Amino acid sequence: MEKKRGSFSGGLGFVLAAAGSAVGLGNLWRFPYLAAQYGGGIFILVYIILALTFGFALLTTEIAIGRKTGSSHILAYGKLDKRFGFLGYLAAIVPVIILPYYSVIGGWIIKYVTIFVTGTQAEVANNSYFGSFIGDTFSPLFFFMIFLGLTMLIVIGGVEKSIEKISKILMPILLVLMVGVSIYVLTLPGSMEGVKFYLLPDFSKFSLITVCAAMGQLFYSLSIAMGIMITYGSYTHKDMNLSRSVVHIEIFDTIVALFAGFMVIPAVYMFNGEAGTTASGPGLMFQSLPSVFNQMAGGRIIGLAFFILVALAALTSSVSVMEAIVSSIMDKLKISRGKACAIVVIVSLALGIPSSLGNGVWSNITILGMDFLTFFDYLSNYVIMPIVALLTCILIGWFVGTKVIKDEVTRNGEKFRRQAVLDVMIKYIAPVLLLIILIFYSLVQFGLISM
Ligand code: PFF
């Protein structure tokens, strides 16, 4: 049974696949504008402190749950405590909601890669291009299906033979492209002003909201509460050094986020000033940056490298989220990987098509005032995920006890240096922080406070 579930060949394969999941649009697109908006260096500092405490505790816990139970999220919680079986089903909803809309966005990125390949980027620099592209009916659907199809092709090949192999190839390419683009941007005349803007702390922009934004970002960035880390953890060997792997995943994820800031902020700051850097949402990636690439010497090559690296990051993330669903279907229904993939693709088409059309012909249909894509994003990230993570903390901290995690981490006699941090975090602090995320983003959503 254990063998049939598939496994990573070793620690490196696991770390690269998990880092592939963690490094995604969250790092490349959300982190830079949040840093620009919430005080540069001070946001970065808060983020790093939270990564070493809050992020570390939740990530370690999820991977340990996966390895201990040998199951994906759908069964894992119930194996730890029968009364928490429901939590597996709640957690199982998250990747099902995320995959379709993430693939729609992945499709937009593939489209932008093709634009830079064909050299038609001048057209994209026009501010109205993006809105009219995503508002179109067929073109975004076509690219969505390509992205979803690529994801499926990787997932169908299995854990070790495909997901691990592809991660081992794509993640180094991503790093090389990132370093190359950053060096190029940083050597442009005038870029240092942008670097200062990015790194120097601006305390006037610091408030409790900075902490909430950093917390929400971290949680999303590490792919926590998506079922992914439990699933990937269940594919690791018992002799892998778990806490060392967690450190490597965190370092990878944080470095990519910091580098993303070096690529994006100085470039946009140089050409569009401070206002350009805080254009939140898709505007920064799909409007400001293409216009910057269009004005920059060598912009076509840099733009192409940039969008390829974003596409790779998005692809390895969508692979992990699809794998989480496929794995839970296989665990629960005991059907083959191929059949499970077919089910996931059908459901993703059913939810992805409205997510795409909601920007165009179906834009008049809204849920709580949001189009489909925005609604799915909101529901998963700001409602279900914090609830899942909160209940995970309660289960581990107050029902089964953090000793379960400690035993799993130290099962081969490894030292567990930050065990006290994990204990305090999971029992007391993380639940409070998660409640704050839940309340804070609800207030933002319903217009009671503004971010
Ligand atoms: N950690 C990912 C990121 O930072 O973009 C979050 C993620 C989103 C993972 C969607 C997987 C996924 F399908």
Side-chain angles (χ1 to χ4, degrees):
M1 193 63 211
E2 189 80 354
K3 265 221 132 28
K4 253 174 81 196
R5 289 197 76 253
S7 65
F8 292 113
S9 68
L12 180 69
F14 166 66
V15 166
L16 288 179
S21 173
V23 170
L25 296 175
N27 306 59
L28 297 169
W29 149 17
R30 237 167 129 231
F31 184 87
Y33 85 73
L34 287 176
Q37 193 168 348
Y38 293 110
I42 186 72
F43 176 86
I44 298 173
L45 183 69
V46 172
Y47 183 85
I48 291 176
I49 293 173
L50 285 170
L52 294 172
T53 51
F54 178 60
F56 152 79
L58 289 176
L59 189 58
T60 307
T61 299
E62 288 208 1
I63 296 171
I65 292 178
R67 188 168 78 172
K68 176 168 175 62
T69 58
S71 300
S72 58
H73 49 290
I74 200 160
L75 301 179
Y77 293 105
K79 281 190 182 177
L80 290 176
D81 185 327
K82 275 212 177 71
R83 288 165 296 179
F84 279 77
F86 75 93
L87 185 52
Y89 294 92
L90 186 63
I93 302 174
V94 175
V96 176
I97 300 178
I98 292 182
L99 180 63
Y101 83 79
Y102 203 77
S103 301
V104 170
I105 301 173
W108 302 346
I109 296 164
I110 305 261
K111 165 76 182 175
Y112 273 58
V113 171
T114 65
I115 287 171
F116 281 86
V117 168
T118 53
T120 48
Q121 67 278 3
E123 194 186 331
V124 189
N126 183 332
N127 259 346
S128 63
Y129 179 87
F130 176 63
S132 71
F133 163 63
I134 62 169
D136 191 13
T137 301
F138 294 108
S139 180
L141 279 181
F142 171 76
F143 287 100
F144 154 60
M145 287 176 199
I146 297 217
F147 188 86
L148 188 65
L150 281 173
T151 306
M152 189 205 70
L153 279 181
I154 299 175
V155 171
I156 210 165
V159 180
E160 183 180 344
K161 285 210 193 85
S162 180
I163 298 179
E164 175 176 331
K165 278 222 174 85
I166 300 262
S167 306
K168 278 182 171 165
I169 301 170
L170 298 189
M171 294 314 283
I173 298 180
L174 185 147
L175 277 187
V176 170
L177 286 173
M178 196 176 70
V179 172
V181 174
S182 311
I183 291 178
Y184 183 82
V185 169
L186 294 179
T187 51
L188 290 175
S191 64
M192 280 309 130
E193 281 310 303
V195 173
K196 276 192 209 150
F197 172 72
Y198 173 46
L199 288 184
L200 291 182
D202 178 350
F203 289 97
S204 69
K205 291 184 189 157
F206 181 79
S207 70
L208 199 63
I209 293 184
T210 310
V211 182
C212 289
M215 220 150 54
Q217 168 62 11
L218 175 71
F219 176 67
Y220 181 78
S221 187
L222 287 174
S223 304
I224 286 164
M226 298 182 181
I228 295 172
M229 292 301 172
I230 297 186
T231 302
Y232 275 14
S234 76
Y235 297 149
T236 58
H237 290 300
K238 295 282 185 197
D239 58 3
M240 181 193 76
N241 187 324
L242 203 151
S243 51
R244 196 196 299 149
S245 301
V246 168
V247 171
H248 291 165
I249 297 166
E250 279 204 296
I251 292 179
F252 210 122
D253 190 59
T254 309
I255 286 186
V256 174
L258 292 175
F259 260 93
F262 281 117
M263 289 191 291
V264 173
I265 303 294
V268 176
Y269 189 85
M270 255 184 295
F271 292 95
N272 299 352
E274 181 174 338
T277 58
T278 53
S280 66
L284 183 61
M285 178 160 292
F286 294 102
Q287 288 170 348
S288 307
L289 274 172
S291 93
V292 165
F293 293 136
N294 193 44
Q295 296 168 61
M296 193 187 264
R300 179 173 168 196
I301 298 291
I302 294 300
L304 179 61
F306 178 80
F307 279 103
I308 290 179
L309 92 85
V310 178
L312 299 182
L315 190 62
T316 46
S317 292
S318 70
V319 162
S320 70
V321 94
M322 187 185 276
E323 178 60 27
I325 312 174
V326 165
S327 178
S328 55
I329 295 179
M330 288 167 69
D331 280 352
K332 181 75 195 155
L333 302 181
K334 309 258 180 281
I335 57 173
S336 71
R337 178 169 281 273
K339 281 196 190 126
C341 282
I343 296 176
V344 175
V345 168
I346 291 167
V347 173
S348 299
L349 286 173
L351 294 179
I353 291 171
S355 303
S356 183
L357 297 182
N359 292 302
V361 285
W362 286 2
S363 59
N364 53 340
I365 312 174
T366 57
I367 311 170
L368 299 175
M370 294 173 259
D371 62 67
F372 286 106
L373 195 157
T374 314
F375 174 71
F376 290 143
D377 183 47
Y378 170 73
L379 182 65
S380 50
N381 289 318
Y382 301 123
V383 183
I384 309 182
M385 281 162 57
I387 294 176
V388 168
L390 177 62
L391 291 173
T392 305
C393 290
I394 293 173
L395 165 68
I396 299 295
W398 297 94
F399 284 80
V400 294
T402 50
K403 187 171 175 302
V404 174
I405 307 299
K406 180 195 147 212
D407 290 348
E408 192 56 39
V409 172
T410 57
R411 64 176 297 140
N412 307 305
E414 297 96 333
K415 281 212 177 86
F416 189 19
R417 289 205 190 82
R418 283 187 280 169
Q419 191 205 326
V421 176
L422 185 131
D423 283 353
V424 177
M425 271 286 149
I426 295 294
K427 269 188 107 158
Y428 307 104
I429 303 180
V432 174
L433 295 181
L434 288 160
L435 261 184
I436 294 176
I437 295 182
L438 201 56
I439 296 169
F440 173 76
Y441 284 101
S442 310
L443 294 177
V444 170
Q445 186 58 40
F446 295 104
L448 297 170
I449 46 174
S450 62
M451 267 190 89

